[in-house]
Amino acid sequence: MSLITPDVEAVPKSSNLFNSADADIVVQSSDNVQFHLHKNNLQCTTGGLPPVDISNDKETVYFPESSATLELLFQFVYPRQFPSLTSLDFDSLLLLAEAAEKYKVFAACTACFYRLREFEKTHPKQILEFAGKHDYRELAEDVQPILVDTPLSELVDILPSPMIFRNWSLFRERHLMKAVEDEKQAFSRHKRTHKCNAALSGIKGKTRR
């Protein structure tokens, strides 16, 4: 787990939402906000929290994420209504999605997945990179039609999953083959139309004589 070195000169603040007196673990964000949490909730609702090396109650763990990201993330580990993500801009949503995947906060992973789909047309490359990194094949398939004309050389570094890269390559090949076939058919129709027009012109010329 990636931890950061705390800023010893800064006085930490407490989160307004997560400040329970009976908390048994404290998470401190990169901007010095402390979240007082309960290990049982973290263990029951996540696959990556609390850190395995935490043994003492009230021990402080330092996370590299900001307080804005963590305050949203930790709302998914308690039995309460989950926060709405509809007002999040794309960059903030992506930070939350990465944190959810990193700490395996499964409810947040699902919520972010569906919200990310709303940005597929405006941020297709970032969506594809996220999908490849975390093996979200459905997200990758969603942006295939949007990025199908993008050269593979521009995408190869953000398609780390062999299966996603294979599927993407096959989809693009089918698209290119169809485009070539459509072009051939269009050219054939044009030739037939040209011949018909020429024949009609010849008939009209003979009629005038």
Side-chain angles (χ1 to χ4, degrees):
M1 176 170 298
S2 298
L3 304 180
I4 61 171
T5 302
D7 184 351
V8 295
E9 296 182 358
V11 178
K13 302 176 182 178
S14 291
S15 163
N16 292 328
L17 283 180
F18 301 97
N19 55 10
S20 178
D22 63 349
D24 52 10
I25 183 172
V26 178
V27 172
Q28 186 163 319
S29 66
S30 60
D31 50 345
N32 297 302
V33 176
Q34 292 188 337
F35 298 83
H36 297 254
L37 307 169
H38 301 86
K39 290 181 182 178
N40 284 341
N41 290 82
L42 299 177
Q43 290 170 342
C44 291
T45 58
T46 78
L49 292 172
V52 294
D53 55 349
I54 296 299
S55 57
N56 300 326
D57 286 350
K58 284 289 187 178
E59 184 171 351
T60 300
V61 188
Y62 300 92
F63 280 15
E65 290 78 19
S66 70
S67 59
T69 295
L70 293 179
E71 185 143 303
L72 281 171
L73 182 70
F74 292 142
Q75 290 180 63
F76 287 93
V77 303
Y78 282 86
R80 50 168 294 165
Q81 185 174 358
F82 293 153
S84 171
L85 305 182
T86 55
S87 62
L88 279 187
D89 59 76
F90 178 76
D91 291 337
S92 299
L93 176 64
L94 193 59
L95 288 173
L96 176 62
E98 289 289 359
E101 294 293 333
K102 177 181 179 181
Y103 301 116
K104 297 180 174 62
V105 183
F106 302 116
C109 291
T110 301
C112 289
F113 168 83
Y114 287 106
R115 178 71 174 122
L116 282 169
R117 298 185 81 172
E118 299 176 23
F119 288 95
E120 288 171 348
K121 291 184 178 180
T122 55
H123 297 79
K125 282 189 178 181
Q126 294 97 319
I127 296 290
L128 179 61
E129 183 174 11
F130 178 84
K133 182 178 179 181
H134 300 292
D135 200 27
Y136 281 104
R137 298 182 187 180
E138 191 173 348
L139 276 181
E141 291 171 359
D142 285 350
V143 297
Q144 281 179 346
I146 302 171
L147 294 174
V148 69
D149 292 321
T150 304
L152 280 176
S153 59
E154 295 183 19
L155 302 176
V156 64
D157 291 335
I158 61 175
L159 287 169
S161 168
M163 181 58 68
I164 290 180
F165 183 82
R166 175 182 177 275
N167 292 343
W168 187 278
S169 300
L170 291 174
F171 177 87
R172 189 168 188 272
E173 183 181 35
R174 289 194 298 269
H175 170 78
L176 293 175
M177 291 177 66
K178 185 178 185 303
V180 170
E181 185 61 29
D182 290 345
E183 187 68 23
K184 287 181 179 178
Q185 292 180 4
F187 181 72
S188 178
R189 287 194 297 270
H190 175 74
K191 285 181 65 178
R192 289 197 299 270
T193 301
H194 180 73
K195 287 182 179 179
C196 289
N197 290 338
L200 288 173
S201 296
I203 293 172
K204 289 179 180 178
K206 290 180 180 179
T207 303
R208 291 194 189 100
R209 293 174 190 172

